[in-house]
Structures are given as C-alpha cells and as structure tokens.
Amino acid sequence: MKAPPEIPERLRALIGQGTDAIETPVLVVDLDAANRNQQRMTEFAAKHRLRLRPHAKMHKSAEFGRLQLQAGAAGLCVQTVGEAEALAAGGINDLFITNQVVSVAKLRRVAALAHQLKARGGQLAIAVDSFEGVERLAQAMQLTNAVIDVFVEVDIGQGRCGVAPGEAALQLARLIARRSASLRFAGLQAYHGGAQHLRSVAERRAAITAAAERLDDTRRLLVAGELPPAVITGAGTGTFAHEAASGLWTEIQPGSFLFMDADYLRNERDAAQPQFEPALFVKSQVISVGEGRAVCDAGHKSHAIDSGLPLVHALPGQAPLAFANGGDEHGVLTLADGGTLPALGDTVWLIPGHCDPTVNLHDHLVVVRGGVAAGRVEAVVAVDARGAW
C-alpha cells in the first residue's frame, strides 16, 4: 500500500494566509461551499429516508471522507481496492468497493482489508457480477475469518458491468448465500452511470424510470426466491432524486455533488434535487497577453478534459471569459461577451470539466474558508488515493 503524499513545507506555510498567496496552478476547495453541498445532500437523504453512502472516488481523500461521515453518511463507496486501502489507512471503517475485482492478488488484498476492518469494528463490502467472481472471492476470504458483504451488481441500463436483471441475478444471489461462511448476500448494486449527464430532466427521469422497472422485476424475483435484498444501492449526482422517487432504492451513492464540476453544471436544473454550487477550482495565473487573448498557466496537466474544458469562474465585476485548449501547460482565454481581458499576473479561477479525474492529477487540495477571492487557507489535504488501483 503506498503512503499518502507528504505535504511540502511550502504548502504548509500557506495555512492562515490569504488566497493570493497560493501559487499556481493548484487545486483549491472552497470549504464553505462544499459544506453547504454536503448539508443539502444530507437533508435530502434524511427527508426521503435513504441511507447516504457518498462515492469517495471523487475526492480520494480520507479527510473529506471523515467530514462526510461526521455529516451523517453511513459509509463511503470506492471504485478500486487501492482506494479502499488508502481510505482505511486514513481511518475510514465502512467501505464498499462498487466494482468488479477478479484478480487473485487483488482479492487477497480485499480479504486482508476485510480482516483489518473487522478487527476495528468496521465492515467491507464489494460488488460481483459473475459466478467466477464469487468463487474467486470466496476462495480469497478463506485466508481470514472475516465475512464480507457482497452485492449483486445488476445492469439496469448502463451497458457496462452488471449481471442481466431477473433470473441471472437470482442465481448469483443464491451462489453467494451458499458461501455464507465467508460471504454475506447484502443486496443489489444498481447504478446507471450513463444517465447522470443526460442534459434534460426529462431524459434523466425516463432513463431511471426504465431502470427502476428492470430493478423491480429483479427485486420481486429475489423476494419470491426467499433472498430479499436488504439494501438496494446506487444513484449518482445527476439522478438521485429519481431513484428516491421510485421507492426502490434504499441507499444512494452520489459523489460529485460535494465539489461539482462544469459537466454537471451543464445539466438542466432539476427542481426535485437540491441546488449544488461549485466548490472545486483550479487557481491559475495569466502569464501572457496577446491580441484578443490572455494565456493562463493551467493546461491539461492541471485539469481533466474527458468531459469537456473548464468553465472560467467570473468573480463580481469581472468580464465573462471563455477557455480554449492551449495544451499541457496553457489555457487560452478570450472575452465571452465584451469587457476587458485580465492583465498579466491576474488570477483566473477555473471550474474543472470533470472533478474526479482532475483531483487524481494532484497530490494535494488547498482548502480555503471565506471564498476563493477573499478567503484564507484553512488546511492542505492530501489526495490519499491518487493513482490507487
């Protein structure tokens, strides 16, 4: 297991200073905005009587995981064994690996982590979607006396991982139940990632309505087979209100809501969901000015572009700017609607296109209170699970 990145003294020295002291390009979290986002999600889950298990693959940080647990989360989701190990090393005791693991070496790590968490009074869960995956997991768990919670992942429309709804899911649940010495059938993993960024509310609602029909057929079959799923978990930042409205899901797994990103902000606003605000920014600086353009020092090595380019966060009194591809180390800024370009040395705040892989590009998050313009550095947080597989 790799050690979390050490925090350099030059970053520690920022604590207590204003945001103007932060060198660029660097990833900055507006803690006030993140806390408001978390509170809104916590209140939504409580109102709808849903367990909240946020997806930590977004922030990859034990510190932010602890903040979410303190705010009422039941536990955290992760996507890789390495993420689970890194967060467990940071004191997180309730983790769910929402992905398929079939490597023998990785499954031994899963068994060791399950044993470790059990000794601390915690619990590890994992998703499966094949007979072979169950058998390999059961064999690895023989190395320990721990019992791991196992969720049958059902493909409810994503077309990625997941067993087919219906009879195939029932047969997989039965196999898990027969391995009860080390495996415990915990319920269904039902996540439709493809629905999260459908732009209109109507499209997202239709996708989850269709997914719920497939899921309900499977649930009914399991109940008839005397294997009722105690937990049905899934949902993301784009659709969780629709999963909640269905009455089928008992737990939701949104992740990006905490920081938000430009891609989610491009979705049509859904009045059934709380409104979340950007809390993750790349602080950049204008390093060159030319005819009709300014160039900042935040290129693709600072922010992921798989979901599009970043938005420029205009502070009060600033002209709206458009961001264009400038390569690895540069971003090209032009005026979006009149006004004046920023001058050489000015600060420009960017909202990344996709928060998850952007965080994974950085060793640390600089956390500020009081807003990005006039706030002060509260902490520097390690991205514990950066690159963790």
Side-chain angles (χ1 to χ4, degrees):
M1 186 188 308
K2 75 172 189 175
E6 292 188 9
I7 298 175
E9 183 55 39
R10 66 179 176 81
L11 291 181
R12 292 183 186 276
L14 289 172
I15 297 174
Q17 296 195 60
T19 58
D20 57 344
I22 302 171
E23 294 184 20
T24 61
V26 71
L27 207 52
V28 176
V29 176
D30 180 340
L31 185 59
D32 299 319
N35 282 338
R36 288 191 292 269
N37 289 341
Q38 181 62 54
Q39 183 61 30
R40 290 164 187 154
M41 184 63 82
T42 298
E43 290 172 354
F44 178 93
K47 178 181 178 181
H48 293 272
R49 299 182 179 180
L50 294 165
R51 284 161 47 103
L52 174 61
R53 184 178 290 275
H55 220 305
K57 73 180 178 69
M58 187 277 291
H59 54 69
K60 301 171 81 74
S61 158
E63 180 63 30
F64 276 100
R66 286 191 290 270
L67 289 174
Q68 292 185 305
L69 293 172
Q70 291 165 9
L76 299 177
C77 295
V78 294
Q79 199 75 342
T80 70
V81 180
E83 287 176 351
E85 291 170 330
L87 294 191
I92 307 299
N93 291 333
D94 192 326
L95 293 162
F96 175 21
I97 303 170
T98 57
N99 200 4
Q100 309 306 310
V101 180
V102 297
S103 158
V104 172
K106 286 184 180 179
L107 286 170
R108 287 174 178 163
R109 289 163 57 193
V110 168
L113 184 57
H115 180 81
Q116 174 190 338
L117 291 180
K118 178 187 176 184
R120 289 170 16 187
Q123 183 64 40
L124 183 65
I126 194 168
V128 298
D129 73 352
S130 68
F131 283 16
E132 182 68 16
V134 172
E135 295 292 6
R136 290 186 180 195
L137 176 62
Q139 185 173 4
M141 290 300 296
Q142 291 177 7
L143 302 173
T144 177
N145 62 356
V147 176
I148 189 169
D149 282 343
V150 183
F151 287 81
V152 172
E153 182 166 7
V154 182
D155 180 6
I156 56 171
Q158 168 106 12
R160 193 170 60 185
C161 293
V163 70
E167 184 65 27
L170 173 60
Q171 294 306 320
L172 202 53
R174 283 176 172 161
L175 178 60
I176 295 165
R178 290 198 294 269
R179 302 294 184 268
S180 59
S182 56
L183 312 184
R184 177 169 46 230
F185 174 58
L188 299 176
Q189 161 76 1
Y191 173 68
H192 193 337
Q196 303 310 310
H197 295 284
L198 296 173
R199 290 306 179 208
S200 74
V201 174
E203 287 177 301
R204 298 196 296 276
R205 182 186 299 113
I208 299 306
T209 297
E213 291 175 359
R214 301 183 189 102
L215 179 60
D216 196 30
D217 289 343
T218 303
R219 182 193 65 82
R220 291 173 184 273
L221 199 61
L222 287 166
V223 170
E226 299 184 349
L227 283 170
V231 177
I232 297 179
T233 183
T237 296
T239 66
F240 65 86
H242 304 302
E243 281 92 346
S246 75
L248 290 174
W249 279 262
T250 63
E251 182 178 89
I252 54 174
Q253 304 173 356
S256 298
F257 76 91
L258 186 69
F259 288 170
M260 289 301 285
D261 55 35
D263 197 26
Y264 268 119
L265 291 171
R266 293 181 181 109
N267 277 1
E268 179 188 359
R269 168 94 171 88
D270 189 343
Q273 298 191 173
Q275 186 160 8
F276 303 111
E277 55 191 293
L280 183 74
F281 302 89
V282 178
K283 183 189 178 187
S284 66
Q285 184 183 47
V286 175
I287 58 173
S288 178
V289 177
E291 183 65 32
R293 71 180 185 279
V295 180
C296 69
D297 60 356
H300 304 332
K301 289 182 181 177
S302 302
H303 53 83
I305 62 171
D306 60 299
S307 295
L309 295 172
L311 296 174
V312 181
H313 180 61
L315 297 174
Q318 292 182 340
L321 297 172
F323 183 99
N325 180 359
D328 289 353
E329 310 291 353
H330 304 90
V332 179
L333 307 169
T334 55
L335 291 168
D337 189 24
T340 304
L341 282 168
L344 195 70
D346 281 357
T347 293
V348 177
W349 297 92
L350 306 177
I351 303 171
H354 190 180
C355 50
D356 304 30
T358 294
V359 170
N360 197 52
L361 292 171
H362 295 259
D363 282 331
H364 306 95
L365 303 169
V366 177
V367 180
V368 304
R369 277 193 181 276
V372 294
R376 293 196 170 273
V377 177
E378 171 100 349
V380 179
V381 172
V383 182
D384 303 286
R386 181 186 181 190
W389 48 267

